[in-house]
Amino acid sequence: MNEQTHFPIEADTNEARTHCGSAPQSIAIITDAWYPQINGVVRTLSTTCDMLRSWGHDVTVISPEQYRSFPAPTYPEIRLALTAPGSVGRQLAKIKPDAIHIATEGPLGYAARRYCVRRKLPFTTAYHTQFPDYFARRTGLSAAVFWPYIRWFHRPARRIMVATETIRKQLREQGLTQLSHWSRGVDLTCFSPDAPIPDEYADIEGPILLYVGRIAVEKNIEAFLSCNTPGTKFVVGDGPERAALEARFPETRFMGRRTGSELAGFYAGADVFVFPSKTDTFGLVMIEALACGIPVAGFPVAGPVDIVTDEVGGLCDDLAEAIDAARRCDRGQCAELGKTYSWEAATWQFLSALAPLK
């Protein structure tokens, strides 16, 4: 199967405006990542669902909240669904969707894949997370151990949706070539340089260095907190590693989970946004930071290399050097780049990549 070509995101926005009123479809999305989890995958899927519904499409989400579940090994805040044999398939048969999208490679995604393959139904998947690297960090095993499952899982998909060219190249090297571009967006009514600065930043010795996201081992936050660079470090978010990192780095300000305009204010008032992860496929928080006019520092890996240019941040194997480079960037250019990421355009990319059943 050939890869789907795509227009620049500005062109996709025009396409979305033209076609968002196209014939309504019934769309089933199967995901092992859903509320009460708060992460980039959940936010991407929920925003996409909201926009599809606003365009008149009927979207059904099959998620762990509909089943009994158990904590994921090494990551108890993620719940894995316990499904009776055939239960996901029965839901799909009852829904009779026009298109099936399998968002994740967990138990629910596995069950939906099995249903579609057995009935020779077309479906799409997405590659949201660098699972081989993710599990390598958590188990101590080589990432190569986990790639056979990823190849097996995605191979029958009509299309595999990916967010960046780096991930596209990586999946091509694994023999997965039926790739389609699905970018991400920013709520520009919320995330902007004008967001109200939080009181927690008052009288803080700058520069203010900010991390936003899950506090978990695969996010590599320790690399940021142990970085010898001037300023005050802030961490916004929650997760299983928070208590341990708070104990090890008492000088860091841990703010817990923040959302909406409050979160936007933490971005807008910071001097540099630091993204230390090496396992993300995109990094939604990076474009939120840019939209708020904040330069980004990180490692030269998938995600950052697809978003961050020299004009809006710094990427270096030495994180202190990356932060120093980011501090010299123009905040206006950061905000301009952030504005180019539209949820409207990203949702049109998703919709146009679906594989209709009829």
Side-chain angles (χ1 to χ4, degrees):
M1 286 177 278
N2 295 325
E3 294 187 33
Q4 179 177 316
T5 58
H6 61 279
F7 299 101
I9 196 152
E10 294 87 352
D12 282 336
T13 301
N14 294 330
E15 286 288 304
R17 289 174 181 149
T18 302
H19 294 287
C20 66
S22 59
Q25 296 185 50
S26 171
I27 302 166
I29 297 177
I30 301 90
T31 176
D32 295 274
W34 198 245
Y35 296 110
Q37 295 177 47
I38 301 294
N39 55 40
V41 177
V42 174
R43 289 169 62 198
T44 296
L45 292 173
S46 62
T47 304
T48 301
C49 290
D50 290 343
M51 186 149 288
L52 288 170
R53 288 168 179 145
S54 75
W55 292 351
H57 300 285
D58 180 14
V59 182
T60 300
V61 177
I62 299 176
S63 72
E65 67 179 356
Q66 300 157 21
Y67 297 92
R68 293 178 58 193
S69 61
F70 65 95
T74 78
Y75 208 151
E77 293 186 13
I78 293 179
R79 307 290 300 185
L80 300 179
L82 289 168
T83 63
S87 62
V88 172
R90 286 191 291 272
Q91 280 204 69
L92 290 171
K94 183 179 180 180
I95 297 166
K96 296 180 180 178
D98 298 311
I100 296 172
H101 178 71
I102 303 174
T104 56
E105 299 94 338
L108 292 178
Y110 176 91
R113 178 195 183 280
R114 184 182 184 204
Y115 173 84
C116 291
V117 169
R118 285 190 169 187
R119 286 157 183 78
K120 298 182 179 179
L121 298 176
F123 64 94
T124 56
T125 61
Y127 190 66
H128 287 283
T129 304
Q130 292 275 47
F131 273 116
D133 294 330
Y134 172 96
F135 285 118
R137 285 293 304 268
R138 289 185 168 271
T139 64
L141 298 172
S142 168
V145 172
F146 304 101
W147 270 111
Y149 176 74
I150 296 298
R151 292 193 296 268
W152 172 85
F153 187 94
H154 291 278
R155 190 171 290 118
R158 185 66 57 88
R159 294 190 184 95
I160 306 167
M161 302 185 196
V162 295
T164 67
E165 179 56 36
T166 302
I167 297 301
R168 183 188 294 259
K169 179 181 178 182
Q170 185 178 50
L171 293 184
R172 282 195 209 105
E173 291 171 352
Q174 294 293 330
L176 300 170
T177 60
Q178 67 276 33
L179 305 171
S180 177
H181 186 63
W182 181 24
S183 188
R184 302 292 183 265
V186 178
D187 179 0
L188 297 175
T189 64
C190 177
F191 296 98
S192 81
D194 299 324
I197 308 304
D199 294 339
E200 288 87 346
Y201 283 173
D203 301 321
I204 290 296
E205 180 182 354
I208 294 175
L209 309 177
L210 174 68
Y211 167 84
V212 174
R214 298 284 302 160
I215 305 179
V217 64
E218 69 276 4
K219 298 299 183 180
N220 198 31
I221 304 170
E222 183 179 353
F224 165 44
L225 301 187
S226 61
C227 186
N228 185 19
T229 186
T232 303
K233 299 181 177 76
F234 279 79
V235 172
V236 173
D238 210 346
E241 297 297 307
R242 178 177 174 178
L245 291 177
E246 280 187 297
R248 286 190 58 195
F249 301 98
E251 71 283 1
T252 298
R253 313 293 179 94
F254 287 81
M255 297 290 100
R257 184 178 295 162
R258 307 296 175 101
T259 60
S261 61
E262 190 177 20
L263 172 59
F266 273 94
Y267 284 126
D271 293 291
V272 176
F273 180 74
V274 183
F275 188 78
S277 174
K278 295 182 178 181
T279 62
D280 282 63
T281 59
F282 187 86
L284 184 58
V285 288
M286 284 190 290
I287 59 174
E288 290 177 345
L290 290 171
C292 292
I294 308 306
V296 176
F299 293 106
V301 296
V305 298
D306 299 284
I307 298 170
V308 180
T309 64
D310 291 342
E311 290 73 28
V312 299
L315 301 180
C316 184
D317 289 323
D318 184 325
L319 198 55
E321 290 186 18
I323 291 170
D324 185 59
R327 288 183 60 193
R328 295 194 293 269
C329 291
D330 181 79
R331 295 169 71 104
Q333 290 192 56
C334 296
E336 287 303 310
L337 179 58
K339 288 178 183 178
T340 66
Y341 286 91
S342 157
W343 277 121
E344 190 178 55
T347 303
W348 169 244
Q349 291 167 350
F350 173 86
L351 184 64
S352 62
L354 293 175
L357 273 68
K358 40 190 168 179

